[in-house]
Amino acid sequence: MKRGLFITLEGPDGSGKSTQIEYLKTYFADKNLPCIFTREPGGTAIGEKLRSIILDKENQEMCDMTETLLYAAARAQHVQERIKPALEAGTIVVCDRFIDSSIAYQGYGRNLGDVVRIINELAISGCMPDVTFLLELSPEIGKSRICEENRDRLEQEKLEFHDKVYAGYQEIAKIYSGRFVEIDAGMQKEEIRDEIYTQIDRILRGE
Ligand code: TMP
C-alpha cells in the first residue's frame, strides 16, 4: 500500500507553529506535492464542534479526564475520517498538534500520566506521525505572545501548568528521539523555516 508522509508540529502556546505551517504550504505547493493541512483539536466537522466545547472559557468545571477523552474523541474521528484515508492515498498530511499534545498537556500538565498515552493509542489505532517538529520556547515567552483577551481555556491556565507541559514535551522528545526534531523557537522565523525545510528535504530524499 502507498503511504503519504505524516508530519506534525508541536510546541507550547505561542511558539509560532501557525507561521511555520504557512511556510510549509508554500514549500509543498512549490514542489507540487499532494498535501493537506489540518489541526487538532479539529480537522473534521465533529472535531471542530468538540474543539469549541474543549476550549470554551465558560467550561471551567470541565474535569481533567473529560478534557482528555474529548481530545481523544476528536482525534479518533480525525484519524478515521481524514488522516488515514489521505495517507493511504499517498498524500502528505501536515497536522498542527497531535497525540504528543495530549501526552504533554493532559499527561504532564494535568498530571494524568501514562493513561493519556494508552487512551490515545486506542484513538489513533497505529497512525503515528513519521516526523514531529517540536518548537521549543519557554512558556513565559509563549504566553506573553498571546494577548490576554484572546486566550482560550487552556491558554488561560497558570504558568505552573505551562511549565509542566514544557517539561513534558522535553521528556517526550527524548523518549521518541527518532521521530522528533527539536527546534529553538527563539530563532528568527525564517531560520526556523529553513531548518524545517532542510529536514523535510532530507526525509523526501529517503535519508
Ligand atoms: P491550538 O491553540 O494550538 O489550536 O491548541 C488548542 C489548545 O489545546 C492548546 O492550548 C493546546 C491544547 N491541547 C491539549 O491540551 N491537548 C491536545 O491533545 C491538543 C491537540 C491540544
Side-chain angles (χ1 to χ4, degrees):
M1 185 174 27
K2 247 192 335 178
R3 192 186 188 271
L5 183 68
F6 187 16
I7 301 171
T8 58
L9 279 92
E10 294 283 353
D13 297 282
S15 56
K17 286 180 290 92
S18 313
T19 307
Q20 295 306 320
I21 284 170
E22 289 309 308
Y23 284 133
L24 283 176
K25 287 184 183 165
T26 311
Y27 175 93
F28 287 115
D30 287 350
K31 289 199 164 7
N32 222 356
L33 289 169
C35 188
I36 61 164
F37 288 82
T38 186
R39 69 167 181 181
E40 292 211 339
T44 64
I46 293 171
E48 290 295 330
K49 285 184 189 164
L50 291 171
R51 178 186 177 94
S52 52
I53 296 170
I54 298 168
L55 299 181
D56 188 345
K57 287 184 225 179
E58 301 291 309
N59 289 335
Q60 291 300 327
E61 71 277 30
M62 188 181 294
C63 69
D64 296 345
M65 186 50 80
T66 305
E67 181 182 288
T68 301
L69 292 169
L70 288 176
Y71 277 117
R75 181 162 300 127
Q77 186 65 31
H78 196 197
V79 167
Q80 293 308 320
E81 189 181 326
R82 277 197 85 196
I83 299 176
K84 248 189 187 160
L87 292 172
E88 284 170 6
T91 301
I92 295 163
V93 176
V94 179
C95 192
D96 183 351
R97 299 193 179 282
F98 195 62
I99 185 171
D100 303 301
S101 281
S102 281
I103 298 176
Y105 281 77
Q106 283 67 54
Y108 288 84
R110 301 292 193 209
N111 298 313
L112 291 180
D114 204 39
V115 72
V116 175
R117 181 187 56 80
I118 296 164
I119 289 168
N120 277 279
E121 283 185 356
L122 291 172
I124 67 171
S125 54
C127 189
M128 279 299 274
D130 298 298
V131 59
T132 300
F133 292 100
L134 174 61
L135 301 187
E136 293 183 317
L137 189 74
S138 86
E140 287 83 353
I141 302 176
K143 220 175 172 195
S144 71
R145 287 181 178 179
I146 308 163
C147 80
E148 208 154 338
E149 60 270 26
N150 290 344
R151 287 182 190 160
D152 62 37
R153 194 174 60 82
L154 273 286
E155 287 163 349
Q156 275 183 343
E157 281 292 336
K158 290 194 281 296
L159 203 52
E160 190 197 337
F161 170 79
H162 289 284
D163 283 338
K164 284 192 278 182
V165 171
Y166 186 64
Y169 266 131
Q170 289 181 313
E171 279 195 37
I172 301 166
K174 281 195 191 71
I175 298 170
Y176 302 102
S177 58
R179 168 168 66 87
F180 267 83
V181 177
E182 293 177 74
I183 294 181
D184 172 7
M187 296 191 299
Q188 293 297 313
K189 57 182 192 296
E190 295 82 5
E191 290 178 281
I192 300 173
R193 175 200 63 194
D194 293 346
E195 174 74 32
I196 294 177
Y197 281 8
T198 304
Q199 294 294 334
I200 298 180
D201 284 341
R202 180 184 56 78
I203 295 166
L204 291 177
R205 286 195 306 268
E207 291 169 13

